[in-house]
Amino acid sequence: MSALRMSEADLGAMMRAKLSGFVTTLRDNGFIIGLAEMRDALGVMSGACASRPSRFRPALRALFCSRHSDWQKFDEIFDAFWTGRGMKSATRMTGAPRKAPSGLQAVAGGRGLGDSLNADHVQRGEDAEQTEVGQSKREGASHTETLARTDFRHLTDPNDLAAAHDLAARLARSMRARLTRRMRARRVGQRLDLRRTIHKSIAHGGTPIELIHRRRKDKPLRLVVLLDASGSMSLYSAVFLRFLHGVLDAFREAEAFIFHTRLIHVSPALRERDPQRAVERMSLMAEGVGGGTRIGESLGTFNRWHAKRCLHSRSCVIIVSDGYDTGPAEQLGAEMRALRRRCRRIAWLNPLIGWRDYVAEAAGMKAALPYVDLFAPAHNLESLGAIEPYLARI
Amino acid sequence: MAITLPQDQVAGEMAAVGYVPDRDLATALWLMNSLKRPLLLEGEAGVGKTEVARALALARDTRLIRLQCYEGLDQSSALYEWNYQRQLLAIKAREGQHGLNADQVEEQIFSEKYLLERPLLAAIRQSKPPVLLIDEIDRADEEFEAFLLELLSDFQVSIPELGTISALTIPMVILTSNGTRELSDALRRRCLYHYVDFPDIDREARIIVSRLPHIDAALALQIASMVNLIRKEELRKAPGIAETLDWAATLAGLDIRVLRDEPEAVFETLMCLIKTAEDKTRMTRQVSDRLLGKVA
C-alpha cells in the first residue's frame, strides 16, 4: 500500500494536471469522484502501473466508476480524453443525441438537437440562459442548480434533459432515504414481551430463560400516484416518471397509475430495475392515445377497481395533473369526494402553479380543489423536493 | 521486457484455482488488495459474482466468511449477539453461592465466553486476512447499509459491554448486488467497482475446460458459442455459467463430440439451461436447430 501512495511526488506535474483534467471530464459526465479516489489514482499511475500505461484503463475504471451507467460510459470518455482529442470531444460525445435516453427524444422534439451537435458544454449553458431561461438567471450557482430551478418545459436540449433526469433520480433517492429513515426511527428497537416471557418461564420454575421479544407492527405510509400523461402534460411526464420511479422504489406498497383518456396501472413497469427502461416502457403505454384528459372518468375507474386494494388509513394519494379535464366537472368533483373518504391525504401537484399569474380557473381544477389537502407546484425539480416535508408528516 | 505485473499475477493465482478472470477483474482484485478498499461487483444473476469471492479465498488459501443479506437483516445477526440463555443460567447457578457481588457477576456474564460471533465480527478477528463476502447487499435495508459503511471505513466495532474491538487484520471485502435496490452514493464511493458481464465465447470455453478437465477443447468451444447465442435470444432468464457447466458435463457424459451431428440430443439436454416455463415454450426445436446451424 505504502509503495503505491508514496511515489505521488515523483509523478510529473504534467501527469497530475492531465489526470485532474480527466477527473473533471468524468465529473462533468455525472461521475462522483472524491479526493481519496484521486489520490489512489495518482498512486496507481506512478506505482505499479507506470511501466505499462495501457494498464491505466482497467485500474482507473475500477476506481472511478461506481455504477453500471458509469461503467458503460467510461471507455468512450477515456478514449476521447487520452487519445488526444481532448476534453471538448468527450463532453460533446455524451451530449450527442444518440446518447440521449430514447424516451426523451420524443419529448425534446426536433428542436435543439442540431445545435447540440456542434455546441460544447459551456456554450450551450449560455445559449439557454439568453434565449429560453431568461427569467431564471444563474444566480452564481453551478449548472446543476440552474437545472433544478429550470421549468421542465424549457429543457429542450437532450443533454440538459438527461441531466435533469439524473437529478430527479438522485433527488428521489435522497428523499426516499430520509423518509424511510424517519419511519424506521419512529419504531424504536426491540422490546421484551413480558407476558409471554413469564408464560414461557413457568416450565423453568419461574426463571426467564427464554426471552420473547416483541416488535411493534408498523403500518408504513403508502403512496398512490396518479400521473396525467395527456398531451398537455407531455413535457412534464417523462421527468416525473423518472422521479416517481426513484421514490416508489422505497415504498414497497406504493402503486402508480397514469391516465389520459383512460387509467393504466403502471406499477409493474415502474418496478423495472433499470430506470431508463421503465421510462421507455411507460412512454410506450402512453403512446397513441394523446388528445384529451378524462380525469373524472379515470378517477372513477380507480375508485371502482383499485381503491379497495390500494388504499388504507395511512395512504396519501398524489395526483400530478394540470387539471385540464375534457369530461364533465361534476363527475370529477364526485369522484374526488369518493376518493377523499378512502385515504388520509390527497396532494395535487400542478406544473402550472409555477407559472406566473396562474389562477386555477379550469372547471375541472375548481371542482377538485375542495377535496385537495395540498395544492403545490411541480414545474421544476426544486418544487418536487419541496413536497418531502409534507410526506414526512403523514 | 518480461516483468510480471501484479494484476497478471492475480490472474494467474485465480486461474490456478479454476476461475478465469478477465484483465479488468484481475486489475480490480489487485487494487482491492493494495488499496484495502472493498470491491463492489454488480451484474446479472448467474455471471459468477459470488464465485469471485470463493475463488479468491481459495487462491489466497484463507477463510471465506459470507454474510448473506436479506430484508430486515439487523446488526445482531450480522455482528454479534449475547447468549442470553447461557447468561441467565450462569446467574441462576450462582444464586446460592456467596462471595461475588453484582458487579463481578455482570462482568463475568458480559465476557467473551457469552458472546456469539456473527460474520462481520468474525471477519475482523481473524489472524490471517479472510475474504469477507457480503452477498446481495441490495436486499438489506438502507439503515444496515449505513452501518456497514461505518464498519468498512474504520474496521472496528464497539460493543457497549466490552469496549471497542479493532480489526486484527483488514479483510478483503467483496460486495455483490443484483440491482434490486439502488445503493447509496456513499457506499458506492467507498468501493472499487466492477461490472461482471457474461464471459465472451473464448473465456467461457476456457472456464469449461478448467472445470471439466476431461472435456474435449473443441466441444467446449462449441458449447460456449451455443450458450452465447442462446443468451442473445430474448429469454427471461439468460443461462448463467453454472448452467453452462451443467450442460457441458451432460453433453460430455453422453459422449457427444460435435454438437451439430446430434441435434436431437442437444435439444433434449437444453433443459439444463432453461429455467422458466415461459422460456421453455420459446425454446422450440426449430429455434434450437437454427442456433445450432450458426455454431461453427
Side-chain angles (χ1 to χ4, degrees), chain A residues 9 53 56 69 90 94 106 114 185 223 261 315 339 343:
Chain A
F56 287 174
S69 56
T94 46
L223 281 182
T261 50
S315 301
L339 182 64
C343 64

Side-chain angles (χ1 to χ4, degrees), chain A residues 82-101:
Chain A
W82 294 99
T83 54
R85 275 179 295 146
M87 205 159 115
K88 222 173 202 177
S89 47
T91 19
R92 197 186 67 198
M93 207 168 268
T94 46
R98 81 187 161 77
K99 281 295 277 184

Side-chain angles (χ1 to χ4, degrees), chain B residues 72-295:
Chain B
L73 173 68
D74 56 358
Q75 288 193 26
S76 62
S77 39
L79 196 59
Y80 73 93
E81 176 84 289
W82 290 106
N83 192 339
Y84 296 119
Q85 279 94 333
R86 270 191 86 176
Q87 286 177 329
L88 282 170
L89 276 174
I91 296 169
K92 191 80 181 162
R94 287 199 189 87
E95 247 171 27
Q97 306 163 8
H98 295 284
L100 283 178
N101 62 28
D103 285 346
Q104 286 167 317
V105 171
E106 196 182 313
E107 206 166 284
Q108 270 195 8
I109 61 167
F110 286 116
S111 62
E112 195 70 30
K113 198 174 154 193
Y114 299 93
L115 189 68
L116 295 174
E117 209 174 53
R118 303 277 192 241
L120 292 181
L121 186 61
I124 63 166
R125 297 215 292 180
Q126 304 291 318
S127 51
K128 184 175 182 183
V131 174
L132 171 62
L133 169 64
I134 300 174
D135 218 359
E136 303 187 317
I137 173 70
D138 50 330
R139 282 173 191 251
D141 305 316
E142 270 150 7
E143 60 188 12
F144 183 76
E145 196 184 305
F147 155 73
L148 202 60
L149 206 61
E150 199 184 315
L151 180 79
L152 291 183
S153 57
D154 300 342
F155 288 105
Q156 63 175 30
V157 183
S158 76
I159 298 177
E161 299 87 353
L162 277 186
T164 304
I165 298 181
S166 301
L168 291 176
T169 52
I170 307 278
M172 295 174 265
V173 186
I174 291 186
L175 300 104
T176 74
S177 160
N178 284 329
T180 47
R181 176 174 67 81
E182 187 58 55
L183 302 176
S184 73
D185 285 343
L187 183 71
R188 287 180 180 278
R189 267 205 45 213
R190 195 135 313 168
C191 300
L192 296 166
Y193 181 86
H194 182 83
Y195 187 82
V196 189
D197 228 330
F198 284 116
D200 54 24
I201 297 175
D202 202 44
R203 198 158 76 83
E204 190 150 26
R206 276 191 290 148
I207 293 172
I208 297 172
V209 173
S210 80
R211 288 302 184 81
L212 307 165
H214 300 300
I215 206 166
D216 179 34
L219 176 65
L221 197 62
Q222 290 171 38
I223 292 172
S225 28
M226 182 71 179
V227 172
N228 186 278
L229 287 170
I230 292 174
R231 284 195 190 122
K232 283 181 189 145
E233 294 289 304
E234 293 263 313
L235 294 181
R236 267 191 61 183
K237 175 81 191 69
I241 297 171
E243 280 87 53
T244 308
L245 290 172
D246 285 349
W247 193 44
T250 313
L251 290 173
L254 291 173
D255 212 17
I256 290 172
R257 291 288 159 80
V258 182
L259 290 188
R260 214 187 285 187
D261 295 349
E262 314 264 356
E264 188 81 21
V266 166
F267 177 65
E268 256 153 39
T269 52
L270 266 187
M271 294 311 131
C272 295
L273 301 176
I274 305 297
K275 291 289 146 128
T276 72
E278 202 185 320
D279 291 348
K280 204 168 178 173
T281 53
R282 203 168 297 174
M283 196 42 91
T284 57
R285 178 69 195 268
Q286 282 83 1
V287 177
S288 159
D289 288 352
R290 173 169 57 82
L291 295 182
L292 210 49
K294 289 193 212 163
V295 175

Side-chain angles (χ1 to χ4, degrees), chain A residues 1 4 37 40 44 48 55 58 61-62 65-68 71 173 176 180 184 207-208 252 273, chain B residues 7-8 24 27 30-31 34 37 71 85 88 92 142-143 178-179 182 185 188-189 192-195:
Chain A
M1 182 163 76
L4 269 181
E37 287 84 349
D40 287 345
V44 168
R55 295 302 175 92
R61 175 161 41 199
C65 291
S66 56
R67 50 172 49 84
H68 188 213
W71 185 264
R173 265 208 305 283
R176 169 188 92 190
T180 35
R184 296 240 165 77
T207 310
R252 285 172 210 282
R273 275 197 237 135
Chain B
Q7 49 268 59
D8 295 334
D24 288 5
T27 308
W30 161 69
L31 274 180
S34 50
R37 272 174 186 254
E71 203 184 321
Q85 279 94 333
L88 282 170
K92 191 80 181 162
E142 270 150 7
E143 60 188 12
N178 284 329
E182 187 58 55
D185 285 343
R188 287 180 180 278
R189 267 205 45 213
L192 296 166
Y193 181 86
H194 182 83
Y195 187 82

Side-chain angles (χ1 to χ4, degrees), chain A residues 51-284:
Chain A
S51 58
R52 202 92 56 97
S54 66
R55 295 302 175 92
F56 287 174
R57 183 198 294 257
L60 293 185
R61 175 161 41 199
L63 260 172
F64 289 155
C65 291
S66 56
R67 50 172 49 84
H68 188 213
S69 56
D70 293 351
W71 185 264
Q72 287 169 319
K73 278 188 278 185
F74 186 86
D75 272 344
E76 204 176 2
I77 301 172
F78 186 92
D79 285 338
F81 188 85
W82 294 99
T83 54
R85 275 179 295 146
M87 205 159 115
K88 222 173 202 177
S89 47
T91 19
R92 197 186 67 198
M93 207 168 268
T94 46
R98 81 187 161 77
K99 281 295 277 184
S102 46
L104 300 176
Q105 283 178 11
V107 178
R111 287 186 293 159
L113 289 189
D115 289 355
S116 72
L117 272 174
N118 303 319
D120 72 29
H121 211 87
V122 182
Q123 257 179 345
R124 245 192 350 264
E126 283 164 1
D127 281 351
E129 207 173 316
Q130 280 158 12
T131 55
E132 288 174 318
V133 214
Q135 65 271 57
S136 67
K137 283 276 180 234
R138 275 204 191 185
E139 299 169 38
S142 69
H143 188 62
T144 34
E145 212 160 296
T146 323
L147 267 177
R149 290 186 195 162
T150 308
D151 194 312
F152 296 145
R153 78 204 138 107
H154 294 313
L155 295 177
T156 45
D157 186 276
N159 207 23
D160 280 353
L161 253 178
H165 275 233
D166 278 350
L167 255 178
R170 247 164 229 201
L171 177 68
R173 265 208 305 283
S174 64
M175 194 166 133
R176 169 188 92 190
R178 281 195 300 270
L179 281 179
T180 35
R181 228 195 72 73
R182 255 175 234 156
M183 275 192 275
R184 296 240 165 77
R186 234 177 273 155
R187 52 168 167 112
V188 180
Q190 273 188 337
R191 289 195 300 179
L192 212 58
D193 188 332
L194 265 183
R195 211 173 60 89
R196 287 173 61 208
T197 304
I198 291 169
H199 184 87
K200 277 267 179 187
S201 72
I202 292 171
H204 311 291
T207 310
I209 287 181
E210 273 177 82
L211 299 180
I212 313 281
H213 288 283
R214 169 172 63 178
R215 272 216 174 130
R216 199 191 303 167
K217 273 223 178 89
D218 78 329
K219 211 174 188 184
L221 169 66
R222 184 180 286 184
L223 281 182
V224 176
V225 185
L226 303 167
L227 176 64
D228 187 339
S230 66
S232 57
M233 284 286 291
S234 63
L235 285 177
Y236 298 95
S237 17
V239 186
F240 266 116
L241 278 175
R242 185 70 183 267
F243 175 73
L244 289 181
H245 178 256
V247 176
L248 291 192
D249 206 20
F251 298 93
R252 285 172 210 282
E253 297 181 71
E255 295 286 349
F257 298 83
I258 58 178
F259 62 91
H260 22 72
T261 50
R262 60 199 169 88
L263 184 82
I264 305 164
H265 186 203
V266 293
S267 302
L270 264 184
R271 297 234 158 79
E272 178 73 65
R273 275 197 237 135
D274 175 28
Q276 203 53 59
R277 259 204 334 247
V279 171
E280 272 162 29
R281 268 178 78 172
M282 214 74 57
S283 15
L284 279 181

